Amino acid sequence: MTLTDIKQFTVRRSSSEQSCAGILPPAGHFIGGTFVPGSSTQLIDVVDPTTEQVITSVQAGTAADVDVAVEAAVAAQKSWGATTPKERSEVLTLIANIIEDNREAFELIESANTGKPRTVAEDDVSSAIDTFRFMAGASRTLTSMAGGDYATGHTSVILREPVGVVGVITPWNYPLLMAAWKIAPILAAGNSIVLKPSEQTPLSTLKLAELVAGRIPDGILNVVTGQGRTVGQRLAEHPDIALIALTGSVVSGQAVAETAGKSVKRVHLELGGKAPVVVFPDADLRAAAAGVRNAGFWNAGQDCGAACRVLVHESVAEEFTEHLVREVGTLVVGAPGAGDDVEIGPMISRPHFERVKESLAEAKDAGLQVAIGGSALEGTGYFIEPTVISNVPAGAHIATHEIFGPVVTIESFSTTDEAITRANESPYGLSASVWTRDSSLSLSIPKQLDFGTVWVNSHLVLACEVPWGGFKGSGYGRDLSLYALDDYSRTKHVMINHSA
Ligand code: NAD
């Protein structure tokens, strides 16, 4: 059998998309517990990438809008920061319950705004609920170093405090979930928040604001919509913001860190990735191919941890490629409303769609072999075929740059040292996976890989108990787990002289 004999993926179109018209949130900024109009009359259209139609418009926020929100956050943080972990935990549990009670609305809004299949939207909402529940519990378990006598006649006590007001900037790929990853630990640690959602996907965050309004203390969570270069920039520079946390691209992270440096703000960055998938000759190749099918194409590959760059031993490269192409041939591409079996939705926007198409065209021009897919779908919506590019030479552009689409490349290696060197030869350091049945390799290889998460015989499996975050160009700081609570709090040493 040749690769061309293998079945192509299925495409499903939908004539009538499920509408979220009746459940849209108010289009204002959410400041001090209520929706308020912005200081500018400018609006930003929010587009459904499946239909290319405008869903609604939101405020294009200004620096002045951020200043009003920061003032509300500063005022609210004083009493919020003085609450007990138990009281804060109750508020986080309430937020989890509110999302759960409204999960249908969140899923509809998220699918309309991002084009993601309902299965992905369901998973996003479940994970957002779990994030709030985990942080509600975890925040009650925090301990500091025990007090002690370290200088004669003096006793030391270590206090853990909130940092104050935290500015948050979120991306478009998992709008509600990425907001939850920030809001839950930041509130749990006693801080207040001014959050700017992606200008492309603000709706689920505004919906959350609408539903929690009046049920959580006013001003602890504020949302200002708008562009990165105005609202995001002001959050990074505002003197009353103690820490700025961004999930997004490397370029945005660099801009935020540079601005934040001027006021010596703390910075927390979750940036891009290009996860290598290192397949050793003894690996279960079918399992590895199935793993890449799921983790390379989840959310149409628009995932910072996507299993997008396979490095497979040369002795099994052909066999692995066949397995993967067969797996990818079973994917169903289409609109969220076209059926429960749809797994791949559109790219988020026309500019992103054009960028992914350009990367594919470049790969084809460079003579690379497209094993399956390789083009955009005809018709409405920003759909790209699930694509596998095989026999990719070391250093090829498509295998070193973040494509952020349903595109997986396959390179081969000869020796273990070469596999490690090539995997680490990336500006990113977010996540990687290793596929082997050798118990010794399953620990020795992860130790040599320069990535914040390394899976063995798995990829893209996350849990709230364990940290998520990168090395190198993928940023610093950790989301999820007790480490996030550490990142969003500060320690203070109080030393008492009792010798007199
Ligand atoms: P983006 O950087 O374009 O936008 C992210 C956010 O930053 C948006 O809210 C945007 O308005 C804002 N922004 C842009 N320029 C800014 C500036 N100069 N100052 C302040 N804010 C600014 O990223 P995106 O396209 O929304 O998301 C995709 C990127 O996010 C990918 O690179 C992906 O890998 C990364 N990502 C990383 C993680 C992670 O956990 N590491 C998770 C999801 C996405």
Side-chain angles (χ1 to χ4, degrees):
M1 188 198 286
T2 65
L3 285 181
T4 45
D5 297 329
I6 294 174
K7 177 169 114 34
Q8 287 284 316
F9 44 80
T10 308
V11 176
R12 287 207 206 301
R13 294 298 199 166
S14 163
S15 50
S16 61
E17 271 311 302
Q18 287 165 300
S19 167
C20 60
I23 51 170
L24 287 174
H29 305 305
F30 181 69
I31 299 179
T34 47
F35 280 90
V36 295
S39 61
S40 153
T41 51
Q42 263 196 319
L43 296 175
I44 299 172
D45 286 343
V46 180
V47 175
D48 177 340
T50 304
T51 61
E52 302 183 36
Q53 300 295 309
V54 173
I55 304 170
T56 184
S57 304
V58 297
Q59 304 277 327
T62 63
D65 298 329
V66 173
D67 292 354
V68 176
V70 173
E71 213 179 307
V74 168
Q77 199 275 325
K78 284 189 179 63
S79 47
W80 178 245
T83 54
T84 60
K86 178 171 183 280
E87 288 165 328
R88 294 200 289 273
S89 166
E90 281 163 2
V91 170
L92 293 189
T93 302
L94 174 65
I95 298 175
N97 292 343
I98 290 172
I99 300 175
E100 193 155 43
D101 291 346
N102 294 277
R103 63 175 310 146
E104 180 74 16
F106 282 109
E107 286 166 18
L108 270 174
I109 287 175
E110 211 70 313
S111 279
N113 198 170
T114 63
K116 63 177 69 194
R118 289 302 293 274
T119 43
V120 180
E122 277 167 27
D123 188 76
D124 286 10
V125 174
S126 297
S127 302
I129 295 166
D130 192 44
T131 304
F132 280 102
R133 292 208 195 293
F134 170 79
M135 289 297 170
S139 59
R140 299 184 67 180
T141 68
L142 288 186
T143 52
S144 302
M145 199 174 107
D149 294 357
Y150 304 105
T152 308
H154 292 70
T155 295
S156 290
V157 178
I158 306 296
L159 304 179
R160 182 191 285 270
E161 300 182 338
V163 295
V165 179
V166 178
V168 172
I169 301 171
T170 55
W172 48 257
N173 57 346
Y174 298 103
L176 179 70
L177 183 57
M178 291 301 100
W181 280 18
K182 304 295 187 209
I183 296 169
I186 291 170
L187 290 185
N191 308 287
S192 60
I193 300 173
V194 180
L195 186 153
K196 186 200 92 63
S198 165
E199 58 278 17
Q200 297 175 77
T201 56
L203 301 182
S204 54
T205 307
L206 290 172
K207 188 70 189 174
L208 179 64
E210 179 194 8
L211 293 170
V212 300
R215 301 182 68 185
I216 67 171
D218 291 346
I220 60 169
L221 173 63
N222 305 279
V223 180
V224 178
T225 55
Q227 302 289 350
R229 61 181 177 275
T230 47
V231 176
Q233 163 78 17
R234 182 62 185 152
L235 287 173
E237 72 190 9
H238 199 294
D240 293 337
I241 289 187
L243 186 156
I244 180 90
L246 173 135
T247 299
S249 62
V250 176
V251 173
S252 307
Q254 285 167 326
V256 161
E258 198 178 329
T259 305
K262 296 193 180 99
S263 55
V264 201
K265 249 183 206 53
R266 284 167 69 168
V267 180
H268 187 284
L269 299 175
E270 298 287 355
L271 308 179
K274 183 84 185 174
V277 177
V278 185
V279 183
F280 285 98
D282 70 311
D284 178 340
L285 298 182
R286 283 177 197 278
V292 173
R293 176 200 193 275
N294 294 332
F297 296 92
W298 181 258
N299 208 34
Q302 299 170 120
D303 189 301
C304 46
C308 55
R309 180 192 175 205
V310 176
L311 281 156
V312 54
H313 190 267
E314 59 191 5
S315 64
V316 293
E318 205 179 317
E319 192 186 342
F320 173 83
T321 304
E322 246 185 67
H323 285 311
L324 180 59
V325 171
R326 189 170 291 112
E327 284 285 352
V328 173
T330 66
L331 286 167
V332 180
V333 187
D340 289 344
D341 59 348
V342 172
E343 290 172 277
I344 307 256
M347 301 293 92
I348 189 66
S349 62
R350 178 157 291 281
H352 185 50
F353 174 66
E354 296 299 338
R355 272 197 300 274
V356 177
K357 280 203 305 187
E358 231 168 75
S359 297
L360 291 174
E362 256 177 47
K364 287 183 199 163
D365 289 348
L368 300 185
Q369 193 179 327
V370 177
I372 188 167
S375 305
L377 292 189
E378 299 284 329
T380 310
Y382 310 131
F383 294 93
I384 299 278
E385 295 174 341
T387 298
V388 175
I389 302 183
S390 57
N391 297 317
V392 173
H397 189 263
I398 196 148
T400 51
H401 291 75
E402 192 180 42
I403 307 293
F404 228 57
V407 180
V408 171
T409 59
I410 304 179
E411 300 163 66
S412 61
F413 64 85
S414 315
T415 65
T416 300
D417 280 353
E418 184 194 351
I420 294 163
T421 306
R422 298 250 309 271
N424 284 337
E425 261 170 11
S426 164
Y428 299 108
L430 187 59
S431 62
S433 64
V434 176
W435 296 78
T436 178
R437 283 189 269 216
D438 181 322
S439 59
S440 155
L441 287 181
S442 74
L443 190 57
S444 64
I445 302 297
K447 282 177 155 216
Q448 296 171 77
L449 290 175
D450 220 359
F451 297 85
T453 295
V454 182
W455 292 278
V456 178
N457 296 327
S458 189
H459 199 116
L460 215 54
V461 177
L462 303 181
C464 289
E465 289 79 357
V466 285
W468 176 254
F471 301 151
K472 305 197 295 188
S474 295
Y476 40 82
R478 292 294 175 262
D479 280 328
L480 303 178
S481 77
L482 295 176
Y483 295 97
L485 290 167
D486 267 347
D487 283 357
Y488 295 121
S489 53
R490 63 184 191 187
T491 51
K492 179 183 282 174
H493 170 212
V494 178
M495 189 180 242
I496 305 155
N497 177 358
H498 46 75
S499 61

